Amino acid sequence: MLNNNCSSSLLFRGPGLAFSHSIATTCNKRNTCWKAPQAAVRNDFCLPMSSSAVKNRTSIGDIRSLRLITAVKTPYLPNGKFDLEAYDNLVNMQIANGVEGILVAGTTGEGQLMTWDEQIMLIAHTVNSFGNKVKVVGNAGSNCTSEAIKATERGFAVGMNAALHINPYYGKTSLDGLVAHYNSVLSIGPIIIYNIPTRTNQDIPPSVVQNLAQNPNLVGLKECVGNERIKHYTDQGIVVWTGIDKTSHDARWDFGAVGVQSVASNLIPGLMRELMFEGKNATLNSKVIPLFDWLSQEPVPIALNTALAQLGVIKPVFRLPLLPLLVEKRIEFVMLVKEIGREHFVGDKDVQVLDDDDFITVGRY
Amino acid sequence: MATLKSLCFRGTAFPVCPSNVTNNRNSRSSYWRPAQAAVKPNFHLPMRSFELKNRTSPEDIKALRLITAIKTPYLPDGRFDLEAYDDLVNMQIGQGAEGIIVGGTTGEGQLMSWEEHIMLIAHTVNCFGGKIKVIGNTGSNSTREAIHATEQGFAVGMHAALHINPYYGKTSLDGMLAHFQSVLSMGPTIIYNVPARTGQDIPPHVIQTLAESANLAGVKECVGNDRIKQYTDDGIVVWSGNDDQCHDARWGYGATGVISVVSNLVPGLMRELMFGGVNPTLNSKLLPLIDWLFHMPNPIGLNTALAQLGVVRPVFRLPFVPLPVDKRIEFANLVKEIGREHFVGNKDVEVLDDDDFFLVSRY
């Protein structure tokens, strides 16, 4: 998704958001709670896009009960367009192996490289094809509030069950701006907040989350800071998924996480399901940790893209700025597949190393 | 920013250049070589024109010392306020700024549609291109967007492009190189390194590889003055991206100049800092203002200040919101201490009430 996108084709104004008070901020030099300026909200008579037809009957509780959500990879044709046949096959394998939710166009799905029309198409396609078998969570977040609002409304209009929302990255804002941003989209439908400071360079502090948790549309949090933070939330009754595969077993069984929003489940959905559902299993966890390490050696989803191509379930096509792992890493992956067992991985072709010139990279598409 | 959806434009794919880029995660003690991914050649041609719209060379860009990352002002409904924008640019030109960044971080480029952004670049070239160098922020974390925006920006006549490394959706060092090389051939380019925002430092060896291209004008560097010195000792042109360090960067570490936020407010004083020789007295006089500006992520402080000076309307595109009243009182005091005559505009500085501000969430 073109996350810098602020389409001006629709000058659409809804009721202004209510402004929240009393945000504690670490930037405040005085030892007092900093209170947000009571900036006026411009009211006007344009209405938000809404529909009375009930497209989906998913409750907040249904979303909260999901334990295994896969941040599914988006496969490409050689010209850089979506390969929907390969995508459908990926989603079907996820469903068959017990995955309960699909995150569409997330970081792993390369949402930041999509146009909005591609992204909404993919969400709608997923709902239409699989919406009765798996919950569809659309990544509708952006660092632009206007874009986040529009993408969220559109996503719910095509029937997604929940939206994932990152805090504004790169063009960072104040904590007060953070609350204003989130309140703009929380009124639209069920929202999962996503905190990954290694990518955004801004941690969403517990004080902000607790403030937002007062809104009934807050489903929970996808948290990447670590298990201590997860426990801090789950002890307060806030639902959390870990976003880190490597710590997900412990998060689930020792720190109160409801489950995982996973990258690795793209490859081994059955084993991830076992980790989340079948009780503590330190043996299985340590068996798959080398795979988790391999997957995270370069920014997600570089290694995942490489691995799925080696397994023959997607074409070896990369949208820039992502590029495949080099040949020695690909050889390592073949070894990992042998050690864990090919039968646990998606697809049924023999895993290949692939030559460098098998890969296609596209900058214009 | 939205890609132009109506144009499905495919150009010749560029070659991925192999390079000996050291990867910190490489477990072997050897140079990591990028995968020699094949490039799919095709018969679509890049968008190109042989008409010379501008004769700016990378050397002309390298000579600029004071570049303002100009603020984009808004009308109450969230659209650009071009009258206020023109006044801001005229005041910059009047007080000696030599270049402006259009739609940078300070200009809230990440909140623009690409149509708005290209319009603003073209407008700026058309109105002011003969008096100041226009540098379009056409970088993106999507290579597709960066390619499209850069070609279009140069087509409408911008003099140079500013390119960030892919933020949020980060890539490998090899991917970073491929990203930059896809746009470097289009025209004079300034690479922008601000790891506090992107979450990824552009390491020196990547810059040194890119510096082999004649189109690399230089680096806008925010890591600090030691990094700047490393580059300037290698003959690479650098602008400091940190207002609080730019005086020392210029006079002590070889920086050519600054790409500045605070020059939006006090362009004449920033010019003096960059051209008038070592002046620690003036530098220390400005530091409280600079500290105030960066109390919250930029451009929150700047947006608030320009509204208080009466040169822009008090309108914010979310997710930015104004500073609270006690901070606004602080700014009014800073203006008195430094002297209103050094600040842009001529109205008395106001504190403004909270309900004077408009927050726009849809536009």
Side-chain angles (χ1 to χ4, degrees), chain A residues 2 4-6 12 326, chain B residues 1 32 111 113 145 168 362:
Chain A
L2 304 177
N4 289 339
N5 184 328
C6 292
F12 198 94
L326 60 159
Chain B
M1 285 178 219
W32 174 70
L111 306 185
S113 65
E145 282 189 58
Y168 182 61
R362 296 172 189 256

Side-chain angles (χ1 to χ4, degrees), chain A residues 260-282:
Chain A
V260 65
Q261 293 192 27
S262 176
V263 173
S265 58
N266 280 276
L267 299 173
I268 50 170
L271 295 185
M272 291 309 291
R273 176 160 177 118
E274 200 173 325
L275 278 186
M276 291 297 113
F277 281 84
E278 305 303 326
K280 277 198 187 189
N281 192 336

Side-chain angles (χ1 to χ4, degrees), chain B residues 39-102:
Chain B
V39 173
K40 177 182 166 70
N42 59 45
F43 295 102
H44 295 272
L45 295 173
M47 185 175 73
R48 191 164 57 201
S49 162
F50 292 116
E51 285 301 308
L52 294 181
K53 283 195 177 63
N54 80 69
R55 289 178 172 74
T56 303
S57 69
E59 280 64 43
D60 292 334
I61 304 300
K62 287 174 179 176
L64 304 173
R65 295 201 188 278
L66 178 57
I67 300 170
T68 295
I70 196 135
K71 150 73 179 172
T72 307
Y74 304 119
L75 296 168
D77 62 1
R79 287 179 301 138
F80 293 168
D81 182 352
L82 287 183
E83 284 181 23
Y85 178 81
D86 292 346
D87 281 347
L88 292 180
V89 178
N90 273 321
M91 289 186 289
Q92 292 295 313
I93 293 167
Q95 294 190 53
E98 302 177 295
I100 53 178
I101 307 286
V102 180

Side-chain angles (χ1 to χ4, degrees), chain B residues 144-292:
Chain B
R144 161 169 58 171
E145 282 189 58
I147 290 170
H148 277 302
T150 305
E151 276 192 337
Q152 291 181 73
F154 281 119
V156 301
M158 74 186 183
H159 302 114
L162 183 74
H163 277 284
I164 192 85
N165 53 309
Y167 48 86
Y168 182 61
K170 296 184 280 183
T171 184
S172 58
L173 295 184
D174 179 46
M176 192 192 288
L177 264 173
H179 176 84
F180 283 133
Q181 281 160 343
S182 64
V183 291
L184 207 42
S185 58
M186 292 174 190
T189 300
I190 299 171
I191 299 285
Y192 182 17
N193 186 35
V194 55
R197 287 187 179 266
T198 62
Q200 189 171 33
D201 184 26
I202 306 174
H205 48 84
V206 168
I207 296 295
Q208 277 140 19
T209 298
L210 296 171
E212 292 164 29
S213 168
N215 271 343
L216 186 73
V219 182
K220 177 184 178 182
E221 182 60 73
C222 297
V223 162
N225 283 344
D226 285 344
R227 178 72 62 88
I228 288 175
K229 187 167 200 309
Q230 182 176 342
Y231 289 141
T232 58
D233 283 353
D234 276 355
I236 294 171
V237 167
V238 181
W239 294 268
S240 175
N242 295 329
D243 284 319
D244 59 334
Q245 296 175 25
C246 67
H247 171 267
D248 296 351
R250 166 78 173 95
W251 303 109
Y253 293 83
T256 284
V258 64
I259 297 183
S260 176
V261 174
V262 72
S263 60
N264 279 275
L265 299 173
V266 287
L269 295 184
M270 289 309 287
R271 175 151 180 124
E272 197 173 330
L273 267 196
M274 291 298 111
F275 283 84
V278 174
N279 193 337
T281 305
L282 177 55
N283 191 44
S284 55
K285 183 175 174 179
L286 288 174
L287 284 179
L289 174 64
I290 294 167
D291 285 347
W292 182 91

Side-chain angles (χ1 to χ4, degrees), chain A residues 58-259:
Chain A
T58 304
S59 68
I60 304 286
D62 289 339
I63 308 296
R64 284 180 175 155
S65 65
L66 304 174
R67 295 202 188 278
L68 179 55
I69 300 173
T70 295
V72 72
K73 153 70 182 173
T74 307
Y76 304 120
L77 296 168
N79 64 0
K81 301 296 187 188
F82 294 168
D83 181 353
L84 286 185
E85 282 183 28
Y87 178 81
D88 292 346
N89 190 42
L90 291 180
V91 177
N92 273 321
M93 289 187 289
Q94 294 293 311
I95 293 168
N97 280 282
V99 167
E100 303 176 295
I102 291 281
L103 172 58
V104 181
T107 314
T108 306
E110 298 175 37
Q112 72 277 5
L113 306 184
M114 294 179 188
T115 56
W116 283 116
D117 55 303
E118 286 179 319
Q119 190 221 2
I120 200 68
M121 178 276 287
L122 193 61
I123 293 173
H125 167 80
T126 308
V127 169
N128 188 50
S129 304
F130 307 106
N132 57 343
K133 302 175 193 165
V134 74
K135 295 303 178 194
V136 179
V137 180
N139 173 33
S142 174
N143 62 350
C144 170
T145 306
S146 186
E147 275 312 312
I149 292 169
K150 293 173 193 170
T152 305
E153 281 190 336
R154 292 170 189 152
F156 282 119
V158 301
M160 74 186 179
N161 304 115
L164 186 79
H165 274 277
I166 192 77
N167 52 309
Y169 48 86
Y170 181 59
K172 296 184 284 182
T173 184
S174 58
L175 296 189
D176 179 48
L178 211 53
V179 171
H181 178 83
Y182 276 119
N183 281 331
S184 300
V185 292
L186 272 164
S187 56
I188 303 172
I191 302 291
I192 299 169
I193 286 175
Y194 182 19
N195 186 34
I196 181 165
T198 54
R199 287 189 179 262
T200 62
N201 262 47
Q202 187 173 33
D203 183 25
I204 306 175
S207 54
V208 167
V209 172
Q210 280 142 20
N211 185 295
L212 298 173
Q214 294 167 35
N215 190 310
N217 271 343
L218 184 71
V219 179
L221 207 61
K222 177 180 179 180
E223 180 60 74
C224 296
V225 163
N227 282 345
E228 289 302 319
R229 178 72 63 90
I230 288 175
K231 187 168 199 308
H232 181 82
Y233 289 136
T234 59
D235 282 352
Q236 290 170 41
I238 294 173
V239 167
V240 182
W241 293 267
T242 180
I244 306 174
D245 286 317
K246 189 171 182 178
T247 58
S248 62
H249 171 268
D250 296 350
R252 166 78 174 93
W253 301 108
D254 297 323
F255 292 86
V258 67

